[in-house]
């Protein structure tokens, strides 16, 4: 059923006039928000960490705006295969793009790391279309397999090379692409491996993937955080943050921890500025993933909050 629904979305929504698709997405978002399902409640719980002084009314407003932003992502994604190159090129405005272009010109490869903000698929299509830069990414292997195949075909149709997250060979392929001076783009605010690096994220401990930092260390590639957001226009906005440097000293795990924390800090800046565009409808913080860990503490602290 899931596969059929997504297939219907890609085949039907992309044929709709853009204003109709926008209204449809907003209507679906409002209906889902009113039903107060698990995803909406989790979204509100996550927003409560991002905006700690928000009361119930403010959190409800944020979750409604968040669902509208989430459905905007889906409506755009369903329609992206039908967008012209000009529409894609005009669909994103990026600040501080020089961090990316200078990194690519250096010839050592670039890793772009993004959180689940706004529409990362549109950003990827913009990179391949506007900048003419192919890149490699990793996708979670969804079930059923036919649904995963749909997502791979969709993203490959936008000019991306897509590797499965599971299977163990993705890291080596990504490293080879970077050593050849290529571009790798990774959504990196949610760990799928159960072996992520613990970081302080909005005052609580959360695991985040180590891959971006490890790739930068192993290949010499430039590691760049990217954040995205929507405004009231049809154009998505984005920012390429300054490079995350590899520490001059320390063991590989220590360097990875420092670099992943720097990524988390950049993500937090973008999410705090535009919380409604953060589409995190899953558990993220360690306290939610593993309640047995007890009260949240920042990495490196004991239960009393001392270093």
């Amino acid at each position: 059923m899931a596969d059929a629904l997504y297939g219907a979305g890609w085949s039907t929504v992309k044929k709709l006039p853009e204003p109709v698709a926008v209204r449809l997405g907003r209507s679906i978002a409002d209906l889902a928000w009113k039903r107060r399902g698990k995803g909406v409640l989790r979204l509100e719980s996550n927003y409560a960490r991002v905006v700690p002084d928000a009361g119930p009314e403010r959190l409800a407003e944020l979750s409604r705006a968040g669902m509208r932003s989430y459905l905007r992502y889906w409506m755009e994604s369903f329609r992206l295969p039908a967008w012209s190159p000009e529409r894609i090129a005009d669909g994103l405005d990026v600040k501080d793009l020089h961090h990316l272009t200078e990194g690519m010109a250096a010839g050592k490869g670039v890793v772009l790391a993004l959180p689940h903000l706004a529409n990362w698929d549109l950003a990827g299509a913009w990179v391949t279309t506007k900048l003419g830069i192919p890149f490699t990414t990793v996708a979670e292997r969804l079930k059923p397999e036919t649904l995963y195949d749909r997502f791979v075909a969709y993203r490959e149709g936008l000019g991306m090379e897509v590797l499965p997250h599971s299977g163990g060979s993705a890291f080596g392929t990504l490293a080879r692409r970077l050593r050849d001076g290529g571009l790798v783009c990774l959504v990196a605010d949610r760990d799928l491996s159960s072996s992520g690096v613990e970081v302080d994220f909005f005052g609580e401990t959360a695991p985040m993937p180590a891959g971006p930092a490890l790739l930068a260390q192993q290949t010499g590639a430039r590691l760049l955080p990217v954040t995205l957001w929507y405004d009231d226009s049809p154009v998505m906005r984005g920012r390429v943050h300054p490079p995350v440097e590899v520490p001059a000293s320390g063991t590989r795990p220590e360097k990875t921890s420092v670099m992943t924390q720097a990524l988390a800090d950049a993500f937090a800046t973008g999410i705090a500025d535009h919380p409604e565009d953060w589409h995190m409808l899953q558990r993220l913080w360690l306290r939610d993933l593993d309640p047995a860990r007890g009260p949240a503490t920042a990495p490196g602290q004991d239960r009393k909050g001392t270093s």
Side-chain angles (χ1 to χ4, degrees), residues 2-3 6-7 10 73-74 77-78 120-121 137 139-140 142-158 160 162:
D3 182 39
Y6 281 109
W10 269 303
Y73 159 76
W74 278 113
S77 295
F78 287 144
W120 46 97
D121 284 330
T137 188
E140 181 180 2
L142 303 171
K143 294 182 179 180
E145 192 75 13
T146 52
L147 180 57
Y148 171 76
D149 292 340
R150 283 188 186 274
F151 272 95
V152 170
Y154 156 66
R155 289 181 170 134
E156 288 180 342
L158 299 175
M160 312 175 193
V162 183

Side-chain angles (χ1 to χ4, degrees), residues 12-304:
T12 302
V13 174
K14 70 179 181 182
K15 299 177 183 177
L16 297 175
E18 190 159 345
V20 175
V22 170
R23 290 195 298 270
L24 176 62
R26 179 163 291 200
S27 297
I28 295 172
D30 288 347
L31 178 61
W33 177 78
K34 289 176 182 177
R35 292 182 63 183
R36 307 288 293 165
K38 290 182 179 180
V40 173
L41 296 178
R42 177 55 54 191
L43 190 65
E44 279 188 16
S45 175
N46 291 339
Y47 285 162
R49 271 66 173 251
V50 176
V51 190
D53 58 346
E57 184 175 342
R58 172 61 176 149
L59 286 175
E61 291 174 354
L62 274 175
S63 66
R64 184 177 188 180
M67 290 305 295
R68 288 182 171 183
S69 175
Y70 185 48
L71 263 294
R72 175 174 173 176
Y73 159 76
W74 278 113
M75 292 297 111
E76 287 179 347
S77 295
F78 287 144
R79 290 174 51 77
L80 264 176
W83 280 14
S84 68
E86 293 76 19
R87 177 66 179 88
I88 293 174
D90 293 339
L92 174 61
D93 177 57
V94 181
K95 298 179 179 179
D96 299 326
L97 185 61
H98 65 93
H99 292 306
L100 171 57
T101 55
E102 291 170 0
M104 293 302 297
K108 294 185 177 181
V110 172
V111 180
L112 296 181
L114 306 86
H116 285 81
L117 273 170
N119 192 336
W120 46 97
D121 284 330
L122 172 55
W126 184 87
V127 167
T128 60
T129 302
K130 175 76 172 182
L131 303 183
I133 303 174
F135 67 87
T136 304
T137 188
V138 174
E140 181 180 2
R141 188 176 285 280
L142 303 171
K143 294 182 179 180
E145 192 75 13
T146 52
L147 180 57
Y148 171 76
D149 292 340
R150 283 188 186 274
F151 272 95
V152 170
Y154 156 66
R155 289 181 170 134
E156 288 180 342
L158 299 175
M160 312 175 193
E161 179 188 19
V162 183
L163 308 176
H165 180 271
S166 59
S169 63
F171 187 91
T173 302
L174 295 174
R176 287 193 295 274
R177 299 292 183 268
L178 292 169
R179 291 192 184 99
D180 290 338
L183 176 64
V184 165
C185 299
L186 301 171
V187 180
D189 58 342
R190 179 170 169 247
D191 180 55
L192 299 175
S193 67
S194 301
S195 59
V197 177
E198 293 186 6
V199 298
D200 180 11
F201 196 54
F202 291 102
E204 293 191 30
T205 303
M208 290 193 179
L214 288 171
L215 284 167
Q217 291 177 64
Q218 186 164 315
T219 67
R222 181 179 294 198
L223 176 56
L224 299 174
V226 176
T227 53
L228 306 167
W229 67 93
Y230 291 127
D231 57 19
D232 294 330
S233 77
V235 179
M236 185 172 69
R237 313 295 173 178
R239 179 190 174 196
V240 182
H241 296 251
V244 172
E245 303 293 343
V246 178
S249 61
T251 64
R252 174 168 288 189
E254 289 169 344
K255 292 178 179 180
T256 302
S257 179
V258 170
M259 295 173 72
T260 307
Q261 182 64 62
L263 279 181
D265 292 342
F267 294 167
T269 298
I271 293 168
D273 288 342
H274 305 278
E276 68 280 1
D277 291 325
W278 189 40
H279 308 150
M280 186 55 66
L281 282 72
Q282 297 84 20
R283 292 183 177 93
L284 180 73
W285 279 273
L286 201 60
R287 183 167 61 169
D288 296 332
L289 294 166
D290 184 11
R293 290 286 294 265
T297 57
Q301 293 184 335
D302 63 21
R303 295 297 174 203
K304 296 181 181 179

